[in-house]
Amino acid sequence: TRKKLHNEIGNALEDLHKDNLNEYHAILAEHFMAGGSYDKAAEYCRLAARKAEQTASVSDAITYTQKRVSCLEKLPQTEDVLRKMVDARTTLGLYWSQTNHPLVAKEAVEPVVDLALKLDYKRRISQIYSILGVCSWWVDEDYTRTNRYFTDALTIAEELQDLLSLATANSYLGIVFSMTCEYEKASYHFGKALDINTAGNTLWGTAGVKSWRAGWVYDYQGKNDLGYKETSEAVRIAEDSGDIYSKAHGHTFHGRSCYCKGLLEEAEEHLLAGISFAKRVDDPGAQSASQLWLGITYLD
């Protein structure tokens, strides 16, 4: 009886708010999950996660994508459902990678690696390679394998001209090349990722890439004025966008740039802000970086 009531409530909400369903995706997902209508629940979970992503509420996007995976696992495993499962798990892996949880991201996509290859689902294969590359880089510190994953991801993305895959692969290649001190290559790939985010008017992505290019390329080369200018813009864009994720990275890297210029009080202010925002999005990478540079700032 309870399941029947949840489905009836869900159907009624669809009828009543058919012109404004965007505000009810999360509520509809919950009702149809409780009602056992897992196909409809999975779709509304996808839409709720997308809405959360657009405002860079990554934790909410992760929650609804996990629920989507759970719903899809309860459906008959037709080819269409299996393809949606690849979508859901790859998206979940991207969210976890974005918030610096590489091992959890790898665990999210591992069950669908062979399936994506079997379906020849190239767009998702590119993104899966990027996710595996992050884990190989951060957890295993196997830079040869990391480079291969990211290069393969970029090759597929270029073939498909898929913007999300291109931005993802280029961003990660920028970081990897900076770690091997190949700054010209790193700057090139960050520039490609920045062009894509700027063209799409993706404010949080633009702020993120500007922060990373300043921190991984300019600061390491001692180009302090460039780094400071770039991270100042990143903080401004992050504040304009209003999302916590880009604020976490913007303030963290701007604090580091301030330190590099000897602006210690300004560095302290932004690094403390970076720590606060990074905790709110549960990003251990940004938290670690902020704490490290705050410690160095206090030491000086």
Side-chain angles (χ1 to χ4, degrees), residues 6-7 10-11 14 24-49 63-75 84 88:
H6 275 295
N7 282 319
N11 292 330
E14 285 181 321
Y24 296 90
H25 290 158
I27 298 172
L28 286 163
E30 298 295 340
H31 279 300
F32 285 123
M33 275 190 286
S37 297
Y38 296 116
D39 52 345
K40 296 186 79 170
E43 178 60 14
Y44 280 118
C45 283
R46 183 185 70 83
L47 294 170
T63 297
Y64 282 107
T65 306
Q66 288 173 324
K67 289 180 178 181
R68 183 187 178 199
V69 169
S70 178
C71 290
L72 290 170
E73 287 175 342
K74 294 178 173 66
L75 294 172
K84 289 178 180 177

Side-chain angles (χ1 to χ4, degrees), residues 193-194 197-198 202-210 212 237 243 245-246:
L194 185 59
N197 280 284
T198 303
T202 310
L203 295 182
W204 67 269
T206 301
V209 177
K210 277 183 170 290
W212 304 329
I237 294 168
D243 74 84
Y245 175 81
S246 59

Side-chain angles (χ1 to χ4, degrees), residues 145-193:
R145 187 171 59 182
T146 298
N147 202 312
R148 185 170 67 250
Y149 272 133
F150 287 148
T151 301
D152 288 348
L154 185 59
T155 300
I156 297 171
E158 287 176 339
E159 176 191 337
L160 300 176
Q161 282 300 295
D162 180 74
L163 296 181
L164 173 60
S165 303
L166 281 168
T168 301
N170 275 299
S171 294
Y172 288 135
L173 273 170
I175 296 174
V176 170
F177 279 125
S178 73
M179 294 183 76
T180 54
C181 302
E182 297 176 84
Y183 296 117
E184 191 172 327
K185 290 182 180 179
S187 188
Y188 169 81
H189 287 291
F190 279 133
K192 286 286 188 182

